PDB file of all heavy atoms in Angstrom:
ATOM      1  N   THR A  75      12.880  -6.108  14.993  1.00  0.00           N
ATOM      2  CA  THR A  75      12.432  -5.327  16.224  1.00  0.00           C
ATOM      3  C   THR A  75      13.720  -4.524  16.734  1.00  0.00           C
ATOM      4  O   THR A  75      13.428  -3.572  17.405  1.00  0.00           O
ATOM      5  CB  THR A  75      11.890  -6.247  17.304  1.00  0.00           C
ATOM      6  OG1 THR A  75      12.894  -7.288  17.641  1.00  0.00           O
ATOM      7  CG2 THR A  75      10.540  -6.878  16.872  1.00  0.00           C
ATOM      8  N   SER A  76      14.881  -4.824  16.374  1.00  0.00           N
ATOM      9  CA  SER A  76      16.162  -4.125  16.910  1.00  0.00           C
ATOM     10  C   SER A  76      16.398  -2.929  16.030  1.00  0.00           C
ATOM     11  O   SER A  76      17.185  -2.069  16.342  1.00  0.00           O
ATOM     12  CB  SER A  76      17.253  -4.945  16.901  1.00  0.00           C
ATOM     13  OG  SER A  76      17.729  -5.296  15.593  1.00  0.00           O
ATOM     14  N   LEU A  77      15.595  -2.707  14.833  1.00  0.00           N
ATOM     15  CA  LEU A  77      15.951  -1.703  14.005  1.00  0.00           C
ATOM     16  C   LEU A  77      15.341  -0.297  14.475  1.00  0.00           C
ATOM     17  O   LEU A  77      14.461  -0.217  15.279  1.00  0.00           O
ATOM     18  CB  LEU A  77      15.396  -1.897  12.629  1.00  0.00           C
ATOM     19  CG  LEU A  77      15.968  -3.143  11.870  1.00  0.00           C
ATOM     20  CD1 LEU A  77      15.179  -3.268  10.516  1.00  0.00           C
ATOM     21  CD2 LEU A  77      17.409  -3.003  11.603  1.00  0.00           C
ATOM     22  N   GLN A  78      16.085   0.759  13.950  1.00  0.00           N
ATOM     23  CA  GLN A  78      15.561   2.173  14.068  1.00  0.00           C
ATOM     24  C   GLN A  78      14.989   2.514  12.729  1.00  0.00           C
ATOM     25  O   GLN A  78      15.605   2.333  11.761  1.00  0.00           O
ATOM     26  CB  GLN A  78      16.657   3.142  14.483  1.00  0.00           C
ATOM     27  CG  GLN A  78      17.306   2.956  15.764  1.00  0.00           C
ATOM     28  CD  GLN A  78      16.354   3.344  16.932  1.00  0.00           C
ATOM     29  OE1 GLN A  78      15.832   4.500  16.891  1.00  0.00           O
ATOM     30  NE2 GLN A  78      16.076   2.515  17.843  1.00  0.00           N
ATOM     31  N   MET A  79      13.679   2.889  12.838  1.00  0.00           N
ATOM     32  CA  MET A  79      13.142   3.314  11.615  1.00  0.00           C
ATOM     33  C   MET A  79      12.496   4.742  11.694  1.00  0.00           C
ATOM     34  O   MET A  79      11.851   4.993  12.651  1.00  0.00           O
ATOM     35  CB  MET A  79      11.864   2.356  11.297  1.00  0.00           C
ATOM     36  CG  MET A  79      12.241   0.932  10.966  1.00  0.00           C
ATOM     37  SD  MET A  79      10.764  -0.137  10.744  1.00  0.00           S
ATOM     38  CE  MET A  79      11.563  -1.632  10.266  1.00  0.00           C
ATOM     39  N   GLY A  80      12.819   5.620  10.739  1.00  0.00           N
ATOM     40  CA  GLY A  80      12.282   6.966  10.901  1.00  0.00           C
ATOM     41  C   GLY A  80      12.843   7.690  12.108  1.00  0.00           C
ATOM     42  O   GLY A  80      12.172   8.548  12.693  1.00  0.00           O
ATOM     43  N   GLY A  81      14.099   7.326  12.538  1.00  0.00           N
ATOM     44  CA  GLY A  81      14.615   7.843  13.701  1.00  0.00           C
ATOM     45  C   GLY A  81      14.045   7.429  15.035  1.00  0.00           C
ATOM     46  O   GLY A  81      14.397   8.019  16.077  1.00  0.00           O
ATOM     47  N   THR A  82      13.402   6.375  15.093  1.00  0.00           N
ATOM     48  CA  THR A  82      12.727   5.931  16.363  1.00  0.00           C
ATOM     49  C   THR A  82      12.759   4.415  16.420  1.00  0.00           C
ATOM     50  O   THR A  82      13.053   3.780  15.360  1.00  0.00           O
ATOM     51  CB  THR A  82      11.258   6.464  16.523  1.00  0.00           C
ATOM     52  OG1 THR A  82      10.851   6.176  17.794  1.00  0.00           O
ATOM     53  CG2 THR A  82      10.351   5.931  15.487  1.00  0.00           C
ATOM     54  N   GLU A  83      12.376   3.812  17.473  1.00  0.00           N
ATOM     55  CA  GLU A  83      12.269   2.308  17.602  1.00  0.00           C
ATOM     56  C   GLU A  83      11.288   1.885  16.476  1.00  0.00           C
ATOM     57  O   GLU A  83      10.215   2.401  16.296  1.00  0.00           O
ATOM     58  CB  GLU A  83      11.738   2.028  19.043  1.00  0.00           C
ATOM     59  CG  GLU A  83      11.621   0.614  19.314  1.00  0.00           C
ATOM     60  CD  GLU A  83      11.051   0.361  20.641  1.00  0.00           C
ATOM     61  OE1 GLU A  83      10.717   1.284  21.405  1.00  0.00           O
ATOM     62  OE2 GLU A  83      10.876  -0.855  21.084  1.00  0.00           O
ATOM     63  N   ALA A  84      11.572   0.754  15.987  1.00  0.00           N
ATOM     64  CA  ALA A  84      10.836   0.138  14.885  1.00  0.00           C
ATOM     65  C   ALA A  84       9.313  -0.025  15.251  1.00  0.00           C
ATOM     66  O   ALA A  84       8.295   0.284  14.412  1.00  0.00           O
ATOM     67  CB  ALA A  84      11.331  -1.114  14.427  1.00  0.00           C
ATOM     68  N   LYS A  85       8.991  -0.427  16.396  1.00  0.00           N
ATOM     69  CA  LYS A  85       7.598  -0.737  16.801  1.00  0.00           C
ATOM     70  C   LYS A  85       6.914   0.591  16.851  1.00  0.00           C
ATOM     71  O   LYS A  85       5.707   0.657  16.512  1.00  0.00           O
ATOM     72  CB  LYS A  85       7.660  -1.424  18.155  1.00  0.00           C
ATOM     73  CG  LYS A  85       8.029  -2.940  18.170  1.00  0.00           C
ATOM     74  CD  LYS A  85       7.813  -3.554  19.480  1.00  0.00           C
ATOM     75  CE  LYS A  85       9.071  -3.515  20.272  1.00  0.00           C
ATOM     76  NZ  LYS A  85       9.277  -4.287  21.397  1.00  0.00           N
ATOM     77  N   VAL A  86       7.484   1.635  17.424  1.00  0.00           N
ATOM     78  CA  VAL A  86       6.804   2.925  17.538  1.00  0.00           C
ATOM     79  C   VAL A  86       6.643   3.384  16.154  1.00  0.00           C
ATOM     80  O   VAL A  86       5.471   3.964  15.799  1.00  0.00           O
ATOM     81  CB  VAL A  86       7.715   3.815  18.336  1.00  0.00           C
ATOM     82  CG1 VAL A  86       7.147   5.346  18.264  1.00  0.00           C
ATOM     83  CG2 VAL A  86       7.899   3.409  19.788  1.00  0.00           C
ATOM     84  N   PHE A  87       7.640   3.261  15.257  1.00  0.00           N
ATOM     85  CA  PHE A  87       7.372   3.846  13.907  1.00  0.00           C
ATOM     86  C   PHE A  87       6.265   3.197  13.171  1.00  0.00           C
ATOM     87  O   PHE A  87       5.429   3.787  12.365  1.00  0.00           O
ATOM     88  CB  PHE A  87       8.812   3.752  13.082  1.00  0.00           C
ATOM     89  CG  PHE A  87       8.702   4.182  11.671  1.00  0.00           C
ATOM     90  CD1 PHE A  87       8.797   5.433  11.351  1.00  0.00           C
ATOM     91  CD2 PHE A  87       8.544   3.219  10.644  1.00  0.00           C
ATOM     92  CE1 PHE A  87       8.659   5.830  10.072  1.00  0.00           C
ATOM     93  CE2 PHE A  87       8.469   3.630   9.405  1.00  0.00           C
ATOM     94  CZ  PHE A  87       8.538   5.098   8.988  1.00  0.00           C
ATOM     95  N   LEU A  88       6.278   1.741  13.259  1.00  0.00           N
ATOM     96  CA  LEU A  88       5.295   1.072  12.597  1.00  0.00           C
ATOM     97  C   LEU A  88       3.768   1.388  13.077  1.00  0.00           C
ATOM     98  O   LEU A  88       2.981   1.670  12.275  1.00  0.00           O
ATOM     99  CB  LEU A  88       5.440  -0.428  12.740  1.00  0.00           C
ATOM    100  CG  LEU A  88       6.671  -0.942  11.978  1.00  0.00           C
ATOM    101  CD1 LEU A  88       6.830  -2.405  12.342  1.00  0.00           C
ATOM    102  CD2 LEU A  88       6.580  -0.614  10.505  1.00  0.00           C
ATOM    103  N   LYS A  89       3.670   1.614  14.406  1.00  0.00           N
ATOM    104  CA  LYS A  89       2.334   1.881  14.933  1.00  0.00           C
ATOM    105  C   LYS A  89       1.930   3.319  14.674  1.00  0.00           C
ATOM    106  O   LYS A  89       0.792   3.511  14.287  1.00  0.00           O
ATOM    107  CB  LYS A  89       2.389   1.669  16.480  1.00  0.00           C
ATOM    108  CG  LYS A  89       0.984   1.924  17.096  1.00  0.00           C
ATOM    109  CD  LYS A  89       1.060   1.532  18.526  1.00  0.00           C
ATOM    110  CE  LYS A  89      -0.358   1.674  19.162  1.00  0.00           C
ATOM    111  NZ  LYS A  89      -0.518   0.966  20.339  1.00  0.00           N
ATOM    112  N   GLU A  90       2.884   4.207  14.812  1.00  0.00           N
ATOM    113  CA  GLU A  90       2.480   5.625  14.696  1.00  0.00           C
ATOM    114  C   GLU A  90       2.667   6.309  13.353  1.00  0.00           C
ATOM    115  O   GLU A  90       2.214   7.276  13.058  1.00  0.00           O
ATOM    116  CB  GLU A  90       3.178   6.497  15.792  1.00  0.00           C
ATOM    117  CG  GLU A  90       2.973   6.044  17.198  1.00  0.00           C
ATOM    118  CD  GLU A  90       3.725   6.755  18.231  1.00  0.00           C
ATOM    119  OE1 GLU A  90       4.287   7.615  17.917  1.00  0.00           O
ATOM    120  OE2 GLU A  90       3.501   6.387  19.446  1.00  0.00           O
ATOM    121  N   VAL A  91       3.419   5.683  12.462  1.00  0.00           N
ATOM    122  CA  VAL A  91       3.565   6.195  11.114  1.00  0.00           C
ATOM    123  C   VAL A  91       3.216   5.202   9.927  1.00  0.00           C
ATOM    124  O   VAL A  91       2.266   5.389   9.201  1.00  0.00           O
ATOM    125  CB  VAL A  91       5.128   6.728  11.007  1.00  0.00           C
ATOM    126  CG1 VAL A  91       5.459   7.248   9.572  1.00  0.00           C
ATOM    127  CG2 VAL A  91       5.511   7.647  12.013  1.00  0.00           C
ATOM    128  N   ALA A  92       4.015   4.132   9.822  1.00  0.00           N
ATOM    129  CA  ALA A  92       3.902   3.284   8.685  1.00  0.00           C
ATOM    130  C   ALA A  92       2.485   2.731   8.665  1.00  0.00           C
ATOM    131  O   ALA A  92       2.032   2.449   7.524  1.00  0.00           O
ATOM    132  CB  ALA A  92       5.014   2.162   8.739  1.00  0.00           C
ATOM    133  N   TYR A  93       2.050   2.114   9.765  1.00  0.00           N
ATOM    134  CA  TYR A  93       0.754   1.437   9.821  1.00  0.00           C
ATOM    135  C   TYR A  93      -0.338   2.166  10.567  1.00  0.00           C
ATOM    136  O   TYR A  93      -1.289   1.588  10.959  1.00  0.00           O
ATOM    137  CB  TYR A  93       0.919  -0.063  10.401  1.00  0.00           C
ATOM    138  CG  TYR A  93       1.648  -1.077   9.482  1.00  0.00           C
ATOM    139  CD1 TYR A  93       2.878  -1.512   9.947  1.00  0.00           C
ATOM    140  CD2 TYR A  93       1.129  -1.333   8.294  1.00  0.00           C
ATOM    141  CE1 TYR A  93       3.580  -2.396   9.140  1.00  0.00           C
ATOM    142  CE2 TYR A  93       1.832  -2.344   7.569  1.00  0.00           C
ATOM    143  CZ  TYR A  93       2.974  -2.746   8.035  1.00  0.00           C
ATOM    144  OH  TYR A  93       3.596  -3.708   7.169  1.00  0.00           O
ATOM    145  N   LYS A  94      -0.267   3.405  10.756  1.00  0.00           N
ATOM    146  CA  LYS A  94      -1.159   4.181  11.539  1.00  0.00           C
ATOM    147  C   LYS A  94      -2.652   4.087  11.115  1.00  0.00           C
ATOM    148  O   LYS A  94      -3.435   3.685  11.835  1.00  0.00           O
ATOM    149  CB  LYS A  94      -0.748   5.612  11.624  1.00  0.00           C
ATOM    150  CG  LYS A  94      -1.584   6.562  12.537  1.00  0.00           C
ATOM    151  CD  LYS A  94      -1.192   7.902  12.615  1.00  0.00           C
ATOM    152  CE  LYS A  94      -2.026   8.838  13.458  1.00  0.00           C
ATOM    153  NZ  LYS A  94      -1.448  10.179  13.551  1.00  0.00           N
ATOM    154  N   GLU A  95      -2.831   4.259   9.941  1.00  0.00           N
ATOM    155  CA  GLU A  95      -4.226   4.178   9.242  1.00  0.00           C
ATOM    156  C   GLU A  95      -4.652   2.749   9.087  1.00  0.00           C
ATOM    157  O   GLU A  95      -5.742   2.473   9.412  1.00  0.00           O
ATOM    158  CB  GLU A  95      -4.326   4.966   8.043  1.00  0.00           C
ATOM    159  CG  GLU A  95      -4.165   6.384   8.099  1.00  0.00           C
ATOM    160  CD  GLU A  95      -5.148   7.095   9.140  1.00  0.00           C
ATOM    161  OE1 GLU A  95      -6.357   6.700   9.064  1.00  0.00           O
ATOM    162  OE2 GLU A  95      -4.755   7.892   9.892  1.00  0.00           O
ATOM    163  N   GLU A  96      -3.727   1.872   8.695  1.00  0.00           N
ATOM    164  CA  GLU A  96      -3.956   0.474   8.460  1.00  0.00           C
ATOM    165  C   GLU A  96      -4.429  -0.226   9.802  1.00  0.00           C
ATOM    166  O   GLU A  96      -5.268  -1.028   9.978  1.00  0.00           O
ATOM    167  CB  GLU A  96      -2.856  -0.231   7.880  1.00  0.00           C
ATOM    168  CG  GLU A  96      -2.545   0.130   6.373  1.00  0.00           C
ATOM    169  CD  GLU A  96      -1.898   1.360   6.185  1.00  0.00           C
ATOM    170  OE1 GLU A  96      -1.550   2.088   7.199  1.00  0.00           O
ATOM    171  OE2 GLU A  96      -1.434   1.598   5.038  1.00  0.00           O
ATOM    172  N   ILE A  97      -3.723   0.107  10.960  1.00  0.00           N
ATOM    173  CA  ILE A  97      -4.076  -0.592  12.207  1.00  0.00           C
ATOM    174  C   ILE A  97      -5.443   0.006  12.682  1.00  0.00           C
ATOM    175  O   ILE A  97      -6.395  -0.885  13.088  1.00  0.00           O
ATOM    176  CB  ILE A  97      -3.041  -0.136  13.387  1.00  0.00           C
ATOM    177  CG1 ILE A  97      -1.717  -0.898  12.946  1.00  0.00           C
ATOM    178  CG2 ILE A  97      -3.618  -0.467  14.771  1.00  0.00           C
ATOM    179  CD1 ILE A  97      -0.510  -0.381  13.865  1.00  0.00           C
ATOM    180  N   ARG A  98      -5.776   1.275  12.474  1.00  0.00           N
ATOM    181  CA  ARG A  98      -7.089   1.664  12.794  1.00  0.00           C
ATOM    182  C   ARG A  98      -8.176   0.979  11.987  1.00  0.00           C
ATOM    183  O   ARG A  98      -9.256   0.494  12.491  1.00  0.00           O
ATOM    184  CB  ARG A  98      -7.186   3.246  12.634  1.00  0.00           C
ATOM    185  CG  ARG A  98      -8.587   3.753  12.919  1.00  0.00           C
ATOM    186  CD  ARG A  98      -8.776   5.213  12.478  1.00  0.00           C
ATOM    187  NE  ARG A  98      -8.530   5.383  11.070  1.00  0.00           N
ATOM    188  CZ  ARG A  98      -9.288   4.999  10.041  1.00  0.00           C
ATOM    189  NH1 ARG A  98     -10.483   4.345  10.310  1.00  0.00           N
ATOM    190  NH2 ARG A  98      -9.018   5.224   8.792  1.00  0.00           N
TER     191      ARG A  98
END
Side-chain angles (χ1 to χ4, degrees):
T75 57
S76 66
L77 297 178
Q78 292 286 308
M79 297 178 173
T82 190
E83 182 183 0
K85 289 183 265 188
V86 172
F87 179 77
L88 294 177
K89 182 173 185 165
E90 297 178 4
V91 179
Y93 288 118
K94 184 177 181 176
E95 294 303 315
E96 288 83 351
I97 289 171
R98 183 193 51 76

